[in-house]
Amino acid sequence: MANELNVQEFSDALTPMSDEELFAVMQTLEGESEEISPADRDNSDVFARIAMVETEIERRFPGQLMTPYKNWQQRQA
């Protein structure tokens, strides 16, 4: 999904997602970020997308930062 949409479309797509979908997108983006070589980091929009997902998580769970996502990750393991 991350590579299919431009950054604005990606941002717009986050709001209607369920929490489960949002957390799955974050997990995918984190995996993608680990595969980016240091030389390509400036040319990748993965980190901008991660920031957008973080913002959406924090909007949904005020004051909890990334705790809901981390709890979800633990339940997935």
Side-chain angles (χ1 to χ4, degrees):
M1 170 189 231
N3 293 328
E4 297 171 10
L5 303 173
N6 72 37
V7 175
Q8 184 59 51
E9 290 171 332
F10 178 81
S11 178
D12 293 343
L14 296 177
T15 302
M17 287 183 184
S18 69
D19 295 343
E20 184 81 15
E21 291 170 318
L22 187 66
F23 296 154
V25 168
M26 179 60 114
Q27 187 171 49
T28 299
L29 289 169
E30 285 181 339
E32 289 177 14
S33 73
E34 292 172 3
E35 296 174 11
I36 299 171
S37 71
D40 291 334
R41 288 183 187 244
D42 290 340
N43 297 324
S44 174
D45 63 357
V46 170
F47 298 103
R49 292 171 191 261
I50 288 173
M52 285 184 250
V53 175
E54 287 175 345
T55 299
E56 180 63 21
I57 291 170
E58 291 170 3
R59 184 190 68 76
R60 292 183 189 197
F61 302 95
Q64 296 183 50
L65 302 174
M66 295 299 289
T67 301
Y69 172 64
K70 293 181 187 306
N71 291 341
W72 176 85
Q73 282 182 307
Q74 290 175 348
R75 289 191 304 271
Q76 302 306 305

